[in-house]
Amino acid sequence: ILAAINFRVTLYVNPQIRAIIYLAHKTETGILFLNQKKRNIVTIVVGIITKDQIILASDSQTTYGNLKRLDVQKISVVEFSNTCALVAESGAAEQSGMAVELLKQKAKGKALADYAMVAELAQESLREVRNYLIDLNKGCNFSDEKWERYFRDDNQVELMVASYFNEKPYIYTVNLHTCTASKAKLHYEAIGCGANLGDYLLSELTHPNMDNNLASAIAVYVVESVKKHDPYCGGNTKVAL
């Protein structure tokens, strides 16, 4: 499968967790104000738990109105004092990028002491972004219903975090609307505008405890397939193990 897919990757090795991450560049951050034009939610991110690895894969496209960026890094390493985790972002790039940077800051110098700790820090980070936006625009006097629609429909943001604790793999997702982490119920997960197709393909092509190399190839195949059918997903495919 890999030989049939045309994609480009750059290799980065993190010796602390023997992880491999492709195209590891710093994510740009910023703030999205309420008076900006509504944008279609972009991104496809997939996660697969194999027999001894967690694999994340994403596209690299962000859309601003009629403008596209095809070089956005959506998967990052979160460093703890005793290990590392992975975080992938989808949706509004400014807000998701801010949440990822906050997550990195919260993890820095701390030991991963609980299987849900990464997800809890992601929750805290997204709540800070949410509260910041509300405070920044408090003079607009938006109703609770308008805020609900803003975070749920107009500016969806979702993170996928992956980590090991006591040699057990965990994938969680958390969004800006509820700021409540949800543990993956199956051995795979997908977020972003291409999540429906991604979920379907993952359900058909993967199984628990599958081979690492095959799972990596399938993760890339799923992202590439979504990119062919969703105009808001594109750019290079990036993979992290």
Side-chain angles (χ1 to χ4, degrees):
I1 297 176
L2 281 174
I5 298 174
N6 181 22
F7 69 100
R8 185 177 60 197
V9 297
T10 300
L11 182 64
Y12 169 82
V13 178
N14 189 315
Q16 192 173 15
I17 57 169
R18 296 172 296 174
I20 301 175
I21 183 167
Y22 299 87
L23 272 292
H25 301 301
K26 185 177 181 181
T27 304
E28 293 185 2
T29 61
I31 300 300
L32 177 64
F33 297 94
L34 286 179
N35 60 359
Q36 285 186 284
K37 182 179 179 181
K38 179 181 176 181
R39 298 177 300 174
N40 288 329
I41 302 307
V42 298
T43 300
I44 173 62
V45 175
V46 301
I48 304 174
I49 296 175
T50 69
K51 59 183 179 181
D52 56 12
Q53 287 183 344
I54 303 176
I55 298 167
L56 300 188
S58 78
D59 72 326
S60 56
Q61 176 176 307
T62 293
T63 304
Y64 298 87
N66 295 323
L67 300 177
K68 293 182 181 180
R69 281 191 57 183
L70 300 175
D71 59 349
V72 177
Q73 170 58 28
K74 299 180 181 180
I75 305 176
S76 304
V77 175
V78 180
E79 296 185 0
F80 291 84
S81 62
N82 59 341
T83 187
C84 291
L86 294 173
V87 57
E89 57 191 276
S90 70
E94 297 93 343
Q95 294 170 324
S96 63
M98 182 180 180
V100 168
E101 291 303 316
L102 287 170
L103 173 57
K104 290 180 179 180
Q105 293 172 19
K106 292 176 182 296
K108 189 174 182 180
K110 294 182 180 179
L112 185 64
D114 182 81
Y115 73 93
M117 184 174 176
V118 183
E120 291 168 355
L121 293 180
Q123 287 180 164
E124 293 178 13
S125 300
L126 281 171
R127 286 195 189 105
E128 288 186 26
V129 174
R130 182 186 175 99
N131 291 338
Y132 178 82
L133 288 170
I134 291 174
D135 183 65
L136 191 66
N137 296 277
K138 60 185 177 182
C140 297
N141 296 319
F142 284 98
S143 66
D144 291 341
E145 182 182 352
K146 287 185 178 179
W147 278 117
E148 180 83 3
R149 185 169 62 250
Y150 173 72
F151 289 118
R152 183 193 62 213
D153 303 326
D154 296 341
N155 291 283
Q156 300 172 21
V157 172
E158 192 165 13
L159 302 181
M160 180 185 294
V161 293
S163 62
Y164 270 82
F165 185 77
N166 288 341
E167 300 184 352
K168 293 183 178 181
Y170 296 93
I171 292 179
Y172 281 85
T173 59
V174 55
N175 61 62
L176 189 62
H177 175 219
T178 64
C179 295
T180 302
S182 176
K183 183 174 176 290
K185 296 178 175 60
L186 300 171
H187 60 281
Y188 62 85
E189 188 64 86
I191 61 174
C193 62
N196 288 338
L197 178 56
D199 270 330
Y200 170 74
L201 292 173
L202 289 169
S203 69
E204 291 292 309
L205 299 174
T206 66
H207 58 82
N209 301 316
M210 69 186 309
D211 176 76
N212 297 327
N213 291 334
L214 178 57
S216 297
I218 289 174
V220 172
Y221 173 77
V222 170
V223 173
E224 291 289 326
S225 297
V226 171
K227 282 158 49 177
K228 291 179 181 179
H229 294 89
D230 192 323
Y232 295 101
C233 299
N236 292 331
T237 294
K238 304 178 185 182
V239 181
L241 313 177

